[in-house]
Amino acid sequence: MTAPERTGPDGRLRLDLPRLPAPGALYRRALLGALPGMGGRRRPDVPVVELGVSGVTVDPAHLADYDRVCGFRLADRLPATYLHVLGFPLSLRLMTAPEFPIPLTGVVHVANRITVHRPVEAGETVDFRTYAENLRPHERGRQLDVVLVGSVGGEEVWRGVSTYLGRERAAGGGPRRDPGDRPGTPAASAQWRVTPRVGTDYARVSGDHNPIHTSKLGARLFGFPRPIAHGMWSKARCVAALESRLPDAYTVEVAFKLPVPLPSTVAFSATATGATWDFALHDARQGRPHLVGTVR
């Protein structure tokens, strides 16, 4: 990495990496850091640092593989969720730093918002930067936002904001969700069978090899009876179902509710109000919500 330099009115230190990190090594670091006596001293706030990497290109074979796994049409235009996968190793590098306030092991992805400013083509070269902000209390611990920005030729073309929850025993002080506010289950427009292969296939194309998605033992270690689908696969699958109805510029935001166990059958629903879409993913048998989202 190059020497840091101050950048922007927020005073964050900018660290430019020569290339995207390898996700596998970062996950191994996170697992080692979870062992007693191995983790570093975590900051009480978000690090005032921004990581960047320039000149990231798209591998057409990888893009086609991602499209197949998530249900998108094979095309040169990048799906909204693809740039999250492309730049995710940079965010992962930020989140696996020893001083990051929330340890990666056991972290829960609770929400994601993506803004597409204009379509991005597979032949374009993308520069990424990432930083964390807005550390705040939650009834089950603390949560924060990890921002990932994609630019082409100095112009911001894409922005993703992922909200992560770090569960802590001594929690409290954050907003509470009313357990009685669950809305009725909307009528489904499609049903999808989600097999265990979804976990391993998405891990392959995303680089997210968290064992809760790919291993029965790994899932049980974190309190799940069986592996669960990646939240960003669920979002991508919903966006793929709306693909032909999306404009060139839009924001798609989701809240992840209950995990999608593997295997299972899920029901997708979507309704349009003017230029806005509301969509959801539910358990096909019991109607429990897995994801709710909007496109605007």
Side-chain angles (χ1 to χ4, degrees):
M1 294 187 290
T2 62
E5 60 182 69
R6 286 200 173 271
T7 170
D10 45 35
R12 282 193 297 267
L13 293 173
R14 173 68 179 257
L15 291 173
D16 289 310
L17 279 61
R19 66 188 65 85
L20 284 172
L26 295 175
Y27 275 111
R28 288 192 292 272
R29 174 200 287 182
L31 291 173
L32 286 173
L35 298 176
M38 296 293 289
R41 184 171 183 177
R42 299 196 175 274
R43 293 174 56 94
D45 53 8
V46 293
V48 190
V49 65
E50 176 181 293
L51 301 183
V53 66
S54 300
V56 178
T57 58
V58 174
D59 177 356
H62 180 262
L63 173 60
D65 197 12
Y66 177 86
D67 287 343
R68 293 187 188 98
V69 170
C70 299
F72 290 101
R73 297 190 303 261
L74 299 181
D76 289 332
R77 178 176 291 190
L78 304 184
T81 49
Y82 183 75
L83 283 173
H84 171 88
V85 165
L86 195 62
F88 181 69
L90 190 66
S91 295
L92 190 62
R93 172 64 181 82
L94 180 75
M95 297 171 66
T96 52
E99 67 275 12
F100 198 74
I102 296 177
L104 186 67
T105 51
V107 75
V108 180
H109 195 180
V110 296
N112 176 267
R113 181 175 71 253
I114 288 173
T115 298
V116 178
H117 297 295
R118 69 154 174 86
V120 181
E121 301 294 327
E124 295 188 274
T125 299
V126 184
D127 302 330
F128 285 106
R129 59 187 179 94
T130 189
Y131 56 90
E133 64 180 8
N134 198 18
L135 181 66
R136 56 202 184 272
H138 185 275
E139 63 173 296
R140 290 182 291 164
R142 293 183 299 166
Q143 61 183 21
L144 52 68
D145 299 325
V146 175
V147 181
L148 179 66
V149 179
S151 300
V152 175
E155 171 198 9
E156 181 179 319
V157 295
W158 182 95
R159 177 177 290 255
V161 180
S162 292
T163 301
Y164 295 100
L165 168 67
R167 291 174 291 190
E168 299 173 354
R169 291 181 180 179
R176 292 183 174 272
R177 178 177 58 87
D178 182 357
D181 64 357
R182 176 176 161 183
T185 304
S189 56
Q191 286 194 359
W192 305 321
R193 181 63 178 168
V194 189
T195 69
R197 184 170 177 175
V198 164
T200 54
D201 284 353
Y202 190 80
R204 184 187 71 250
V205 299
S206 68
D208 184 350
H209 292 278
N210 190 322
I212 65 174
H213 305 300
T214 58
S215 163
K216 290 182 180 179
L217 177 59
R220 288 171 183 165
L221 287 175
F222 288 97
F224 300 102
R226 58 185 190 268
I228 60 173
H230 296 73
M232 288 303 295
W233 175 86
S234 300
K235 178 173 183 174
R237 187 66 185 88
C238 292
V239 173
L242 297 172
E243 185 176 18
S244 62
R245 300 172 175 87
L246 298 177
D248 285 345
Y250 58 93
T251 294
V252 53
E253 185 168 7
V254 301
F256 301 113
K257 301 298 185 179
L258 298 175
V260 177
L262 301 175
S264 63
T265 301
V266 295
F268 171 74
S269 59
T271 56
T273 305
T276 300
W277 282 92
D278 294 305
F279 61 91
L281 204 61
H282 289 80
D283 179 275
R285 294 182 61 187
Q286 301 180 6
R288 294 177 300 181
H290 295 305
L291 172 156
V292 294
T294 60
V295 177
R296 61 182 187 276

